[in-house]
Amino acid sequence: MSEDIKKRAIELYVSGESVAQVARELELKDHLVWNWVDRAGVRRPSKRSQHMEKAVQAYLDGTPITKVADDAKVSVSTVQAWISARGLTGKGGRAAKTSSNKQSALLLYKEGKLYSEIAKTLKVAPKTVSKWVEDAGIVEEGGAHLQARRDAETAVRLYTEKGATVEDIAAHLGRGVNTVSGWLREAEVEVKSSIERRTSAEQAMYSKLGVAANIAKAQAKPVPTRLCAYCEETFELPQGRRQSRQQYCSLKCSQLGRRNPDKRTQHVCEVCEKPFERFASTQGPNRFCSNACRIKSSGKIQWKYEDNVLDSGYEAMFAGLCSVYGVPCERFDRTQGVNWEGERWYAPDFLVKVGPRSVAVEIKGLVREVDEPKWAAFREKAGVPLVVLTQGELVPPPATRDDLLGLLGLAKIVKS
């Protein structure tokens, strides 16, 4: 092989091509290229070294260190180490890293980044970033710092001219309450409590609406008082209709007053003729000692069918029709009911037997949604047909026996 081919092969390898690429381009064997490179003692820079050189050069060209790190897909501290290794800061070790961090911090600050963001990126304390910026004497009228100064001026104006509270200003600007308070104190503005500020603002609003006089009048209205029914001391009545009937000044007086026999009256029950006591303040005639006696004296009609008490007038109507027309009817045996929806129990009202057939009858004046599931369960499990008679079917009542049997589905059965 000529020396020109060897030289060309070595140049291609140094430029970054692999041995296989060089051999393919020059139509040579791979092992031949390897031998030439090895005998020449050529050591090509690694990809990491090339990556490093490219990043350092970008930093020297003025690219922000954070962008250099993003492009190289490494951390900012790694880029700082590459820069320090080249001796570009004139320092070494930790001092070189600190100097690099400081330069990066100043660049980021000029881009409008906040101290907290710079500190998080460079992994240093926010106070350190603040000191670097202060030592550099940088006054940057832009980015987040200009916005902060504008917000501070707005906060002072709203507080002093518009009467807004610190909380309102913080919510308006999207800042913290402590931040707004700090701005006001730096501007030598006296910061009052929110209660004082809101009170003055509300009073101004009331005056503007012309209702300040009504508020003052309502506040000047005397509070009603009353003598305690037990200790006979004067106490103020709380607001509200229910509280206006309060008779005792405290819970203790209420308990003692209710136990006092002098505050009770004696009565005799009109039904059981037993004596009983009531508070003297209790309104009403005090005729009965209990609700049971009151119900007994009410004269309410209790419908009965044979020995069973019926639940409604419709049930009494149906039982009476069966009795008049000679239709055998009896109260349905509750023990023959069925379960539905778990442990719930249902049985209809009556059982009508005409000839060889029987039918269960449910009397329902008003049908509800909950009734349908239990009727369906009975029809499925009981083995006895179920007929539901509502108000519309019983009023007006059937005029003949055949009409009644027709309602029960028994019209075709021979009369018995």
Side-chain angles (χ1 to χ4, degrees):
M1 292 294 177
S2 64
E3 293 296 329
D4 293 338
I5 294 177
K6 292 182 181 179
K7 184 178 180 181
R8 178 59 178 166
I10 294 173
E11 289 177 352
L12 291 175
Y13 178 79
V14 172
S15 66
E17 292 187 10
S18 64
V19 172
Q21 291 173 340
V22 174
R24 188 165 48 253
E25 181 177 346
L26 300 179
E27 298 180 356
L28 300 172
K29 299 293 185 180
D30 292 355
H31 69 276
L32 187 59
V33 177
W34 270 118
N35 291 335
W36 291 344
V37 171
D38 184 52
R39 291 173 184 175
V42 175
R43 294 293 181 267
R44 186 177 59 184
S46 64
K47 291 185 178 180
R48 179 177 177 81
S49 300
Q50 297 175 2
H51 202 51
M52 185 188 311
E53 293 294 338
K54 184 178 179 180
V56 172
Q57 186 60 43
Y59 177 77
L60 295 177
D61 293 340
T63 305
I65 192 170
T66 53
K67 190 175 187 311
V68 173
D70 291 339
D71 294 341
K73 298 181 180 181
V74 295
S75 64
V76 174
S77 59
T78 300
V79 178
Q80 293 170 350
W82 292 347
I83 296 172
S84 300
R86 297 297 183 277
L88 299 177
T89 58
K91 300 178 182 180
R94 185 172 181 179
K97 184 177 181 180
T98 301
S99 177
S100 178
N101 280 345
K102 183 176 181 180
Q103 295 177 11
S104 301
L106 297 179
L107 290 174
L108 293 173
Y109 182 80
K110 291 180 180 180
E111 294 175 3
K113 301 292 184 180
L114 298 175
Y115 289 153
S116 58
E117 297 174 344
I118 299 173
K120 184 177 180 180
T121 302
L122 301 179
K123 297 181 180 181
V124 295
K127 291 184 177 180
T128 303
V129 178
S130 175
K131 187 176 183 304
W132 289 342
V133 174
E134 184 179 353
D135 293 343
I138 297 175
V139 178
E140 181 65 24
E141 294 295 334
H145 311 286
L146 177 59
Q147 185 64 44
R149 284 190 287 274
R150 289 177 177 174
D151 287 349
E153 295 173 358
T154 303
V156 174
R157 179 175 55 81
L158 292 175
Y159 191 85
T160 56
E161 298 179 7
K162 303 298 183 179
T165 63
V166 174
E167 288 79 2
D168 293 339
I169 296 172
H172 175 69
L173 299 176
R175 300 280 186 169
V177 175
N178 294 335
T179 301
V180 176
S181 300
W183 289 340
L184 296 176
R185 293 189 180 93
E186 289 178 0
E188 298 181 354
V189 176
E190 182 182 359
V191 181
K192 296 182 179 181
S193 64
S194 299
I195 296 178
E196 295 176 349
R197 298 286 293 183
R198 290 189 184 279
T199 301
S200 60
E202 289 174 359
Q203 294 298 334
M205 181 185 66
Y206 290 145
S207 299
K208 183 177 180 180
L209 296 176
V211 297
N214 293 334
I215 294 176
K217 183 178 179 180
Q219 293 176 348
K221 184 178 180 179
V223 180
T225 59
R226 180 175 294 173
L227 291 177
C228 178
Y230 180 76
C231 66
E232 299 182 352
E233 295 289 338
T234 302
F235 67 95
E236 294 183 355
L237 284 174
Q239 296 181 357
R241 180 179 178 182
R242 184 175 180 179
Q243 288 80 358
S244 64
R245 299 194 298 268
Q246 184 174 331
Q247 299 181 14
Y248 301 96
C249 63
S250 63
L251 178 61
K252 182 178 180 180
C253 285
S254 175
Q255 294 173 345
L256 295 175
R258 291 177 180 274
R259 295 172 185 171
N260 189 353
D262 297 336
K263 301 294 183 179
R264 294 173 177 266
T265 56
Q266 301 294 325
H267 306 274
V268 177
C269 180
E270 295 181 2
V271 176
C272 65
E273 298 182 354
K274 294 181 180 180
F276 64 94
E277 293 184 349
R278 288 288 185 270
F279 291 114
S281 60
T282 303
Q283 299 178 358
N286 296 316
R287 298 168 53 193
F288 311 105
C289 64
S290 63
N291 288 332
C293 289
R294 181 181 293 106
I295 294 173
K296 290 180 181 179
S297 67
S298 64
K300 183 178 179 180
I301 298 175
Q302 298 290 332
W303 298 96
K304 281 195 174 184
Y305 178 68
E306 297 180 353
D307 293 332
N308 299 304
V309 177
L310 304 182
D311 298 330
S312 68
Y314 291 111
E315 293 184 11
M317 178 190 297
F318 179 78
L321 290 171
C322 290
S323 178
V324 170
Y325 294 143
V327 177
C329 176
E330 62 184 32
R331 196 69 165 164
F332 195 91
D333 187 0
R334 304 292 296 179
T335 61
Q336 301 301 316
V338 298
N339 288 320
W340 69 286
E341 292 187 358
E343 299 180 354
R344 306 183 74 173
W345 188 259
Y346 167 72
D349 298 321
F350 297 99
L351 180 65
V352 176
K353 297 181 179 180
V354 179
R357 296 183 60 185
S358 300
V359 60
V361 181
E362 172 71 22
I363 306 299
K364 199 67 177 178
L366 178 64
V367 179
R368 301 173 298 175
E369 293 182 1
V370 71
D371 295 327
E372 295 294 343
K374 63 183 181 183
W375 294 341
F378 183 85
R379 290 188 176 102
E380 180 182 354
K381 299 178 181 180
V384 180
L386 175 66
V387 175
V388 180
L389 299 181
T390 62
Q391 177 183 1
E393 295 166 325
L394 293 174
V395 179
T400 64
R401 185 175 188 271
D402 291 338
D403 293 340
L404 178 60
L405 294 177
L407 290 177
L408 298 176
L410 302 172
K412 295 182 180 181
I413 297 179
V414 180
K415 299 181 181 180
S416 59

